[in-house]
Amino acid sequence: MEDIMKTQKIDSEMLKKMFEYGAKNLEINKKIVDELNVFPVPDGDTGTNMSLTFTHSVSELHKIEKLTVYGVAKTASSGALIGARGNSGVILSQLLRGFAEGCKGEDYLDIEVIANALKLAADVAYKAVMKPTEGTILTVAREMGEFAMANTKKYDDLGIFMIKILEHGKDILLKTPEMLPVLKEAGVVDAGGQGLICIVEGALKAFANQELGEKIEFITSDLNKFVDDSHMKPEDITFGYCTEFIIKNALEVDDNNLREYFYTLGDSVLVIKDDDVIKVHLHTDNPGLALERAGSLGGLSRIKIDNMREQFAGKGTAAVQPIVPYGFVAVSPGEGLTKLFKDLGITRVISGGQTMNPSTQDFLNEIDKVNAEVVFLFPNNSNIIMAAKQASEISDKRVYVIPAKTIPQCISSMLAFSPDAKPLVNEKAMSEAINNVATGEVTFAVRDTKINGLKIKKEDVMGISGGEIKFIGKNIRSVTEELLTEMVNDESELISIYYGKDTSEEDAQALADAIALVFEDCDVELHYGGQPLYYYILSVE
C-alpha cells in the first residue's frame, strides 16, 4: 500500500467508504475465513456470520441524511448490533460500538483519535464477554489497540501509522495457534481474528484509493491444512441449541443480572445492551426458558434457534450424543409440566404420578438414555421415592435422588442447580431448596371417609398442603382460595398456579386474577400443567 495518500485526517465520507470496503473485503473472503473454524459446530461459520453482520451494519449507512464521523461510526455500530449473528458477529458489533465511542465529538479522525478508538473498541468487546479467551479476535483487536496507543508519537503519517497497526495485527494473528492448542492442532490461525484483519485491510485499501482484489493473502503457514471432521469431537458440544434474539424496549433492564441468569442455562453467553435494545446469544438446552425470561422484559425480535448437534451431523460425522457433566430425570404427571421441565433443563421425563407410579426399571431405562457423568432423579411424589432410590443403587452410573415429593419442589430444586458446582455441592443445595417452597394441591375425594376430624364425602373438593387435608368443600375455587390463604405469609413473594387437564383455562385465569387482587404483594404466575385428578397444584415462595 505504498501509494497511500499523505492525508492526515479521515472525514465522514472517507470513514463511510472505509467501512464499505472493509465489509466488501470480508464478503469476498468469507468462505476462506469459514474454513478456519476448528470447533465441531460453530454458530454457523465465523466468516459468514461476521460478513452478514458487517454487511447489515454498512447497509444502515445509506440511511444517514447528514454525514458526521460519529454519525457514521454510531450507525455502523447500531446496525451491527441488530444484525449480529453468532459469537463472532456479536463481538464485532461490540468492537464497532467501542470504536464509535472513540469517535464521539470528533469532526475528523487523526492518529491520536484512531488510536483511542481502537483501544476503546477492544475494551468494550472484552467487557461484553464474561470469560474472554486469548488467541481469538479479542486478542488481535486488543493488540492492535495497544500498539496504536503506544506509537502515536512515533509516526506522523496517518497512512503509514495504519499500515503498521495492520502489520502488527497480522503478527499477532500468526501467534494465535500458540495461544490456543486447538488452533495449533488444526494448523490454522483464529478465524475471527482473520476476519477482523480482512476488514482492516479492506478499510486501508479504501483510504489508499485502491481496488479490492478477488481475495487477500492469508497469513497462515499451511493454508491447505484446514479442519476436517477427524478433528471434531461431538462431546465438545455441552449445550445443544445456539439461541439468539433481540429484546426491545429494554432501557430499564439490568443486563448484568440478565447475563448471570443466562449462564445458569448454558454457556457462550453474550448479552449486549445498546440504549433500549439488548442483543442476546447463548448456547443452551433450554431455549424456551431463555425466551420466557427475555419476553418478560420486553418485546422480542429476530429469534434464531439452531440445533448444533444436527449441524454437526450435517457435516458428515455421525451425530453422537455428547457426554455432559450433568443429566436429569424427573417424573411428570402432565404434558404442560413436561414442557416446563424441559425448559428447566430436565433431560428425560417419565410420565407418571399419583396413580401411575413408575417402576425401578422405568427409572433405569431413562437413566441409561442420559449420556451424563452424573444423573439427578426427581421422583416428585412420596410414593415414588423408594423406586427412584433403588434405581440409583442398581445403576452403573453416578446417580443422586433429590427427594422431591411435589412438582414445585422439583422446580425449586432445579433452580438451585449450578452447572459449575461439584456433584455433592449440587446435591446438598438442590435438596435444601425443597424446603424453600410450600406446595398445595386441590383435588377431589374418591370415597366417603373421616380423617383428622374432617368428614369427607365422595367427590368433595379437598385442599391439601404439607401432606394433610386442610379444607373440604363443594366449590373448587373457594377451596383453592382458602388453601392459599393458609399457605401465604408476610414473607411470601410468588404464587404459582398449575392447572390440570380437567380445568379450563378460563376458570384458571379467573382464579389467578382473583388471587392477584387478594394477595397484592405477591406476583402470581399461571401455567398449564395438564395433570390428571388435580384441579390445581399450587406453589408459594
Side-chain angles (χ1 to χ4, degrees):
M1 294 188 184
E2 293 80 4
D3 59 340
I4 278 188
M5 300 171 62
K6 294 293 184 179
T7 304
Q8 299 307 307
K9 293 180 180 180
I10 296 173
D11 61 14
S12 57
E13 288 282 357
M14 176 56 72
L15 182 60
K16 178 174 178 287
K17 181 180 178 182
M18 291 172 73
F19 278 144
E20 290 171 342
Y21 268 52
K24 183 62 177 176
N25 201 47
L26 181 57
E27 169 67 21
I28 290 171
N29 295 281
K30 67 182 180 182
K31 293 302 181 184
I32 300 178
V33 177
D34 285 344
E35 291 297 323
L36 295 173
N37 284 295
V38 298
F39 298 106
V41 184
D43 309 331
D45 291 309
T46 299
T48 299
N49 280 338
M50 291 182 72
S51 181
L52 289 170
T53 298
F54 205 27
T55 298
H56 186 277
S57 170
V58 169
S59 71
E60 295 295 299
L61 298 179
H62 301 296
K63 300 177 182 179
I64 302 177
E65 294 182 1
K66 182 179 179 181
L67 292 180
T68 65
V69 165
Y70 177 63
V72 169
K74 176 63 176 175
T75 300
S77 168
S78 298
L81 177 72
I82 299 299
R85 295 173 182 252
N87 275 343
S88 57
V90 175
I91 291 173
L92 176 58
S93 75
Q94 291 308 293
L95 290 171
L96 290 169
R97 181 183 177 190
F99 186 86
E101 286 296 309
C103 296
K104 189 177 294 185
E106 303 292 342
D107 294 325
Y108 300 94
L109 304 184
D110 57 18
I111 287 176
E112 291 188 357
V113 174
I114 287 176
N116 184 56
L118 291 175
K119 176 66 165 57
L120 285 174
D123 289 346
V124 170
Y126 264 86
K127 290 178 182 177
V129 180
M130 182 168 283
K131 298 177 181 179
T133 300
E134 294 303 328
T136 65
I137 182 175
L138 292 171
T139 305
V140 177
R142 174 176 56 76
E143 285 282 349
M144 286 198 293
E146 291 177 354
F147 176 88
M149 291 294 290
N151 289 278
T152 55
K153 304 301 182 184
K154 184 175 181 179
Y155 300 99
D156 57 6
D157 184 282
L158 178 59
I160 299 301
F161 177 65
M162 291 192 294
I163 288 176
K164 294 299 181 181
I165 293 171
L166 174 62
E167 290 176 349
H168 182 72
K170 288 183 176 182
D171 289 341
I172 297 302
L173 180 60
L174 194 58
K175 296 176 182 177
T176 55
E178 301 304 319
M179 304 178 199
L180 277 179
V182 68
L183 296 175
K184 189 172 185 178
E185 179 186 11
V188 296
V189 296
D190 177 67
Q194 183 67 83
L196 181 60
I197 293 298
C198 284
I199 292 172
V200 175
E201 190 162 44
L204 288 190
K205 288 193 174 184
F207 184 80
N209 198 28
Q210 294 180 342
E211 292 299 319
L212 294 174
E214 287 304 310
K215 66 177 182 179
I216 64 171
E217 179 182 352
F218 279 73
I219 55 168
T220 177
S221 57
D222 187 4
L223 272 181
N224 292 322
K225 187 180 179 183
F226 292 128
V227 181
D228 58 44
D229 287 340
S230 65
H231 290 290
M232 300 181 179
K233 300 177 181 179
E235 60 264 29
D236 290 338
I237 307 172
T238 302
F239 299 95
Y241 295 92
C242 175
T243 305
E244 296 179 339
F245 50 84
I246 289 173
I247 309 174
K248 296 182 177 180
N249 304 317
L251 189 62
E252 303 300 323
V253 175
D254 187 326
D255 52 320
N256 289 323
N257 288 342
L258 191 60
R259 185 179 297 107
E260 291 177 3
Y261 171 73
F262 285 140
Y263 260 104
T264 68
L265 302 182
D267 59 15
S268 296
V269 175
L270 289 166
V271 176
I272 312 303
K273 187 173 184 180
D274 186 14
D275 297 328
D276 65 342
V277 174
I278 296 178
K279 170 74 179 183
V280 175
H281 169 281
L282 74 155
H283 293 170
T284 179
D285 286 331
N286 313 295
L289 196 58
L291 292 172
E292 182 179 351
R293 171 60 68 90
S296 70
L297 301 174
L300 301 183
S301 67
R302 303 198 180 214
I303 298 171
K304 177 174 174 284
I305 301 174
D306 291 327
N307 186 325
M308 296 193 292
R309 295 186 180 109
E310 286 185 357
Q311 290 178 2
F312 184 86
K315 289 181 178 286
T317 301
V320 180
Q321 184 73 13
I323 298 176
V324 297
Y326 292 108
F328 309 89
V329 176
V331 178
S332 169
E335 59 178 339
L337 296 172
T338 295
K339 183 179 183 300
L340 178 61
F341 282 172
K342 291 289 187 179
D343 289 342
L344 283 171
I346 300 293
T347 317
R348 304 290 302 181
V349 174
I350 302 173
S351 295
Q354 188 63 33
T355 61
M356 303 174 288
N357 293 172
S359 66
T360 298
Q361 187 62 57
D362 290 332
F363 278 108
L364 289 173
N365 290 342
E366 296 305 318
I367 291 170
D368 288 341
K369 295 175 184 176
V370 178
N371 204 9
E373 297 171 3
V374 174
V375 179
F376 290 105
L377 299 187
F378 299 91
N380 299 335
N381 188 291
S382 59
N383 290 334
I384 303 174
I385 292 177
M386 289 184 66
K389 288 184 175 180
Q390 183 163 284
S392 71
E393 294 167 0
I394 296 174
S395 175
D396 293 330
K397 294 184 178 180
R398 190 176 179 185
V399 180
Y400 296 95
V401 177
I402 305 300
K405 298 179 180 179
T406 67
I407 298 300
Q409 286 181 348
C410 176
I411 293 170
S412 179
S413 184
M414 276 300 295
L415 293 175
F417 168 74
S418 172
D420 297 323
K422 294 184 180 300
L424 288 175
V425 174
N426 265 323
E427 182 195 30
K428 184 174 185 294
M430 296 167 78
S431 295
E432 290 177 349
I434 288 174
N435 301 318
N436 298 334
V437 59
T439 301
E441 298 163 316
V442 181
T443 184
F444 60 91
V446 295
R447 65 180 182 274
D448 294 350
T449 187
K450 182 177 180 181
I451 185 169
N452 292 334
L454 295 174
K455 291 182 178 181
I456 303 171
K457 297 293 185 180
K458 184 179 179 180
E459 297 186 357
D460 275 353
V461 178
M462 301 183 296
I464 304 169
S465 179
E468 295 182 8
I469 300 173
K470 300 288 187 177
F471 301 96
I472 57 174
K474 301 298 183 183
N475 183 274
I476 297 171
R477 177 166 163 178
S478 297
V479 171
T480 305
E481 291 176 348
E482 285 182 304
L483 185 60
L484 280 171
T485 299
E486 180 174 283
M487 293 173 62
V488 175
N489 57 42
D490 292 338
E491 296 180 359
S492 300
E493 297 178 349
L494 174 65
I495 300 171
S496 299
I497 303 172
Y498 306 90
Y499 64 97
K501 70 175 185 179
D502 296 323
T503 302
S504 70
E505 182 178 1
E506 181 180 7
D507 288 345
Q509 188 62 60
L511 171 67
D513 292 342
I515 294 300
L517 292 175
V518 174
F519 304 105
E520 56 185 17
D521 292 331
C522 293
D523 292 328
V524 178
E525 293 183 353
L526 180 65
H527 305 273
Y528 174 63
Q531 68 274 5
L533 306 179
Y534 289 78
Y535 304 115
Y536 296 107
I537 296 174
L538 310 171
S539 169
V540 176
E541 300 175 69

